């Protein structure tokens, strides 16, 4: 793998290389080199499979981290490409022309984190949150409790139960305790 990383270093500056296992590595790449390095890895280094694209919200740094997980079937290696993008202008190039199925990951990240991928097919259509009008729910500044209180109210006549006692009463009331075995010490 070191030879691969040296070939990449000939093209761009790598911020870091992290080896997790013999078949799992991560590299940090600057945003402006993303398209170049992803194209290079797919077209020249055999990382033909995009396994997933995910985001992490680093609210404290005002950044999102995108991870493009690639797989090379010839050498059986996973390589994660980590790229930090600005949270205030959460926008990244679309890679749907490199991997046709990437539009689905990008559409999901747009809906759940608010990250835009201009030019990506269907990126502005609802994925699972039809009619959602709040800030994207996977952003760390989304207040789940406030949303729940505002959206789901306590219906009249409902009560809260201790789950352990409730299960005993409702589901196990006919359950017969096993007989106790007497021992010499009892």
């Amino acid at each position: 793998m070191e030879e691969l990383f040296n070939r990449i270093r000939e093209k761009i500056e790598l911020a870091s290389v992290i080896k997790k296992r013999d078949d799992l590595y991560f590299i940090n790449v600057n945003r402006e080199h993303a398209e170049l390095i992803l194209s290079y890895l797919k077209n020249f280094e055999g990382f033909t499979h995009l396994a997933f694209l995910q985001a992490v919200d680093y609210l404290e740094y005002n950044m999102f981290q995108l991870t493009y997980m690639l797989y090379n079937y010839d050498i059986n290696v996973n390589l994660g490409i980590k790229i930090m993008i600005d949270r205030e202008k959460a926008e990244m190039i679309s890679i749907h022309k490199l991997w046709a199925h990437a539009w689905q990951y990008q559409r999901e990240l747009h809906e759940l984190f608010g990250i835009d991928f201009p030019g990506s097919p269907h990126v502005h259509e609802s994925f699972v949150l039809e009619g959602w009008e709040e800030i994207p729910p996977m952003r760390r500044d989304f207040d789940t409790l406030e949303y729940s209180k505002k959206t789901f109210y306590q219906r009249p006549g409902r009560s809260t139960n201790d789950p352990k006692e409730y299960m005993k009463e409702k589901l196990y009331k006919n359950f017969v305790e096993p007989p106790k075995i007497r021992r010499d010490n009892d």
Side-chain angles (χ1 to χ4, degrees), residues 12-157:
I12 62 166
E13 181 180 338
L14 280 181
S16 66
V17 175
I18 300 165
K19 178 182 178 182
K20 292 289 186 176
R21 298 186 314 246
D22 288 341
D23 65 342
L24 178 61
Y25 294 84
F26 291 91
I27 60 175
N28 292 306
V29 174
N30 290 330
R31 182 177 189 264
E32 62 269 12
H33 298 131
E35 189 170 15
L36 170 70
I37 200 64
L38 291 168
S39 297
Y40 173 75
L41 288 168
K42 180 182 180 194
N43 297 324
F44 297 102
E45 296 292 346
F47 287 89
T48 56
H49 180 69
L50 173 66
F52 61 82
L53 168 60
Q54 70 171 21
V56 176
D57 185 359
Y58 286 103
L59 180 62
E60 59 274 29
Y61 302 116
N62 204 27
M63 304 286 280
F64 285 117
Q65 175 187 283
L66 298 176
T67 301
Y68 298 81
M69 186 57 74
L70 309 180
Y71 187 74
N72 183 320
Y73 289 100
D74 295 331
I75 58 175
N76 297 320
V77 168
N78 294 284
L79 179 59
I81 314 302
K82 294 182 177 183
I83 299 168
M84 302 298 283
I85 63 171
D86 187 10
R87 198 171 181 277
E88 296 301 318
K89 189 175 183 332
E91 187 176 292
M92 187 60 184
I93 60 153
S94 175
I95 58 165
H96 71 278
K97 291 182 180 172
L98 282 173
W99 289 279
H101 66 290
W103 71 269
Q104 293 175 326
Y105 298 128
Q106 294 173 159
R107 184 176 170 189
E108 182 180 18
L109 293 180
H110 179 265
E111 185 166 282
L112 298 177
F113 289 91
I115 301 169
D116 197 11
F117 297 88
S120 183
H122 312 288
V123 74
H124 295 279
E125 296 175 14
S126 293
F127 190 65
V128 292
L129 301 174
E130 193 172 310
W132 186 263
E133 295 179 0
E134 303 289 330
I135 67 170
M138 293 301 286
R139 285 184 174 232
R140 287 180 47 208
D141 51 351
F142 175 72
D143 190 336
T144 308
L145 180 59
E146 179 186 316
Y147 178 78
S148 295
K149 286 179 179 176
K150 184 173 68 177
T151 307
F152 307 109
Y153 54 91
Q154 184 72 27
R155 289 182 292 183

Side-chain angles (χ1 to χ4, degrees), residues 4-15:
L4 168 67
F5 298 132
N6 287 335
R7 288 192 296 272
I8 294 172
R9 285 184 184 103
E10 291 173 3
K11 300 184 177 336
I12 62 166
E13 181 180 338
L14 280 181

